[in-house]
Amino acid sequence: MTEEFPLAPDLCHLNHAAVGPWPRRTAEAVARFAEENASQGSVGYPQWLGVEQRLRERLARLIAAESADDIALAKNTSEALSIIAHGLSWSPGDNIVGIRQEFPSNRIVWESLADRGVEWRALDLAASSDPEPDLLALCDASTRMIAVSWVQYASGLRLDLEGIGAFCRANDILFCVDAIQGLGALPFDLASTRADFVVADGHKWMLGPEGVALLYVRPELRDTLSLHQFGWHMVEHCGDFDRTHWTPAASARRFECGSPNLLGVHALEASLSLLEEVGMNKVWEGIQARADHLIALIDRRGFDLVTPRESERRAGILTFRVPGVASDHLYPALMGRRVLCAHRGGGIRFSPHFYTPLEVIDRAMETLDQIVRG
């Protein structure tokens, strides 16, 4: 797999939870697309739209959706969440249940509904030893939605989506999943999670570019979302420019108002082709093996693991702290020595992918040892 990831030999890339590197095939797909534009203009536009359709089909398979028509392509996770939040009808007194430690995109969007009388209720994970029951305990007769990240960006905690989804369906509560820290890392199944909405940008574990994101809306709910963006691309008879009467597309394309990001489409489609070739079960096995390896190295050094140890409670994120050493000192020192990581949750966050050589993880930890020793 090293031929697909020609990363510089002195770089320890352990930051897939932030921005992942492109596989070689993705870089080549973008180069071909650019060259075709430069030499042929838009002659190949019909073929480009074929790539867009393949991307929708790959994304549908990635989350086990029934049809590519269920997939909309948003610009990013924040836009996708905003389409949901400001598309639903709300009544004063409604509430949304979530998690206090969420990434801002999955907090601000729900807080923005306060002027409509909608309350955002947040579980403090720091005060919870069993997050799912505590999360569900915040719900009452006025709860319209539970909106959470599948995997918490700072701690790496993975939630039990099946349990939350079953509760939501049984209590007529909408369920919105920000899957950005899980899709591309481990298998996802709509039928078992019972999610009404799934959103995820492609630039992390899916190994694609920024600027293209998945937006899934359960088909039965599509018509219930009011639209606030309009244009030629979101209508049913897209391409019939002389038609004066229009209706929103019956498919999820109704959430895409204008021209698609075909450069990003070519890139993400190529990246997902690699994940499909490998298979998500094998991808997940590879990530688990690397996480286990890294946890053993963390334990050997006596560092404090922030991420849960249980395999069912984590995905690809491993956050840890070094006793007696400030993480805001370690982070720039690691980055300065070409260990690509993140400073999250008061600790150092490593996030290797399935292809990451174990030697890279070893070298990163040895570099950390050198920094700690001074």
Side-chain angles (χ1 to χ4, degrees), residues 74-222:
K75 293 191 292 290
N76 47 57
T77 306
S78 297
E79 181 188 52
L81 288 170
S82 294
I83 289 171
I84 297 164
H86 291 275
L88 289 166
S89 61
W90 301 94
S91 299
D94 287 344
N95 68 69
I96 301 162
V97 171
I99 291 174
R100 182 176 300 176
Q101 288 82 1
E102 286 281 4
F103 191 75
S105 297
N106 210 4
R107 169 177 52 82
I108 293 171
V109 67
W110 310 118
E111 291 176 331
S112 74
L113 298 171
D115 61 358
R116 301 193 198 181
V118 178
E119 177 191 5
W120 181 66
R121 296 181 175 180
L123 171 69
D124 183 1
L125 288 176
S128 173
S129 59
D130 200 358
E132 287 84 4
D134 292 342
L135 189 75
L136 303 185
L138 293 177
C139 298
D140 59 21
S142 296
T143 302
R144 286 282 311 283
M145 175 185 285
I146 293 179
V148 294
S149 289
W150 185 12
V151 180
Q152 290 294 305
Y153 82 104
S155 69
L157 169 70
R158 174 158 59 105
L159 293 178
D160 173 18
L161 296 186
E162 292 188 18
I164 299 172
F167 174 87
C168 287
R169 196 61 62 89
N171 290 276
D172 197 24
I173 296 172
L174 296 171
F175 186 27
C176 180
V177 177
D178 179 347
I180 195 170
Q181 294 293 4
L183 282 186
L186 65 163
F188 184 93
D189 180 56
L190 268 176
S192 60
T193 62
R194 305 186 186 187
D196 297 299
F197 310 100
V198 181
V199 300
D201 210 323
H203 66 273
K204 298 184 186 294
W205 301 94
M206 286 188 267
L207 302 170
E210 294 181 291
V212 185
L214 158 77
L215 166 59
Y216 168 84
V217 177
R218 186 157 61 91
E220 295 85 350
L221 296 174
R222 278 204 290 261

Side-chain angles (χ1 to χ4, degrees), residues 27-332:
E28 291 173 349
V30 169
R32 287 194 302 270
F33 182 74
E35 177 58 31
E36 184 178 343
N37 269 274
S39 63
Q40 302 296 322
S42 59
V43 169
Y45 204 91
Q47 288 71 45
W48 301 347
L49 295 181
V51 177
E52 180 191 26
Q53 179 60 22
R54 289 205 304 273
L55 173 59
R56 294 181 197 274
E57 292 168 356
R58 291 190 191 281
L59 287 169
R61 289 193 292 270
L62 189 65
I63 64 172
E66 291 186 2
S67 170
D69 286 344
D70 298 336
I71 305 299
L73 302 178
K75 293 191 292 290
N76 47 57
T77 306
S78 297
E79 181 188 52
L81 288 170
S82 294
I83 289 171
I84 297 164
H86 291 275
L88 289 166
S89 61
W90 301 94
S91 299
D94 287 344
N95 68 69
I96 301 162
V97 171
I99 291 174
R100 182 176 300 176
Q101 288 82 1
E102 286 281 4
F103 191 75
S105 297
N106 210 4
R107 169 177 52 82
I108 293 171
V109 67
W110 310 118
E111 291 176 331
S112 74
L113 298 171
D115 61 358
R116 301 193 198 181
V118 178
E119 177 191 5
W120 181 66
R121 296 181 175 180
L123 171 69
D124 183 1
L125 288 176
S128 173
S129 59
D130 200 358
E132 287 84 4
D134 292 342
L135 189 75
L136 303 185
L138 293 177
C139 298
D140 59 21
S142 296
T143 302
R144 286 282 311 283
M145 175 185 285
I146 293 179
V148 294
S149 289
W150 185 12
V151 180
Q152 290 294 305
Y153 82 104
S155 69
L157 169 70
R158 174 158 59 105
L159 293 178
D160 173 18
L161 296 186
E162 292 188 18
I164 299 172
F167 174 87
C168 287
R169 196 61 62 89
N171 290 276
D172 197 24
I173 296 172
L174 296 171
F175 186 27
C176 180
V177 177
D178 179 347
I180 195 170
Q181 294 293 4
L183 282 186
L186 65 163
F188 184 93
D189 180 56
L190 268 176
S192 60
T193 62
R194 305 186 186 187
D196 297 299
F197 310 100
V198 181
V199 300
D201 210 323
H203 66 273
K204 298 184 186 294
W205 301 94
M206 286 188 267
L207 302 170
E210 294 181 291
V212 185
L214 158 77
L215 166 59
Y216 168 84
V217 177
R218 186 157 61 91
E220 295 85 350
L221 296 174
R222 278 204 290 261
D223 287 341
T224 69
L225 294 185
S226 61
L227 301 175
H228 299 279
Q229 300 181 88
F230 298 88
W232 71 274
H233 194 257
M234 48 75 67
V235 299
E236 181 62 31
H237 299 281
C238 179
D240 187 353
F241 304 130
D242 295 325
R243 180 182 288 266
T244 57
H245 174 72
W246 60 270
T247 57
S251 71
R253 184 167 48 80
R254 63 172 47 210
F255 303 117
E256 306 168 13
C257 61
S259 298
N261 173 10
L262 286 174
L263 178 63
V265 163
H266 276 72
L268 185 55
E269 193 277 332
S271 294
L272 291 182
S273 75
L274 173 62
L275 294 179
E276 281 203 314
E277 284 180 17
V278 176
M280 285 310 306
N281 287 329
K282 288 188 176 179
V283 168
W284 175 223
E285 289 173 4
I287 290 175
Q288 288 186 94
R290 283 146 184 81
D292 290 342
H293 182 76
L294 181 53
I295 288 174
L297 296 177
I298 290 170
D299 288 344
R300 189 180 306 164
R301 288 162 170 79
F303 297 164
D304 298 327
L305 184 65
V306 175
T307 303
R309 292 180 176 276
E310 305 85 355
S311 61
E312 67 274 10
R313 277 299 194 187
R314 52 180 164 83
I317 289 173
L318 273 299
T319 302
F320 61 93
R321 301 187 183 109
V322 178
V325 184
S327 295
D328 57 3
H329 162 72
L330 291 176
Y331 169 68

